[in-house]
Amino acid sequence: SHLKLRAKTIGIQKIDANAAGGLITFTDKPQIDPMRIIQLMQRHPDQYQFAGQDRLRYKIAADNAGERIAALQGVLSALDGDPASNAG
């Protein structure tokens, strides 16, 4: 799918999503500016938290698959800095 390809391109190894948010596991060398992640966590400390060295937890409520996909698209856009690709 488009989301899997996009995630792989920016260096995401695995995504676990559920109704409360999700957990993103990065590859050893993700193609994401570390400052972007830090700024994201500083701006939204209630939504984004590190969960170990290579994982980022996000908390965005999404009751169904469509909402989870939309939430994940938003997270990926925030990480890779490409708002145009948010349209999916």
Side-chain angles (χ1 to χ4, degrees):
S1 79
H2 175 71
L3 282 177
K4 280 186 181 181
L5 179 60
R6 184 172 171 200
K8 186 176 180 181
T9 300
I10 63 174
I12 294 175
Q13 180 177 326
K14 182 180 179 186
I15 300 171
D16 293 312
N18 58 48
L23 184 66
I24 294 173
T25 304
F26 297 102
T27 60
D28 289 338
K29 296 187 181 188
Q31 302 298 309
I32 300 169
D33 180 0
M35 281 307 297
R36 182 173 294 283
I37 298 171
I38 292 168
Q39 289 170 349
L40 189 64
M41 290 181 357
Q42 288 173 341
R43 281 192 297 252
H44 307 284
D46 54 328
Q47 279 187 310
Y48 298 97
Q49 301 169 344
F50 277 123
Q53 249 182 324
D54 62 346
R55 294 184 295 171
L56 178 70
R57 183 174 310 281
Y58 66 93
K59 297 178 184 177
I60 300 173
D63 293 329
N64 59 52
E67 290 178 3
R68 287 184 197 133
I69 290 170
L72 184 54
Q73 285 175 330
V75 172
L76 293 180
S77 291
L79 290 174
D80 72 6
D82 187 1
S85 61
N86 193 5

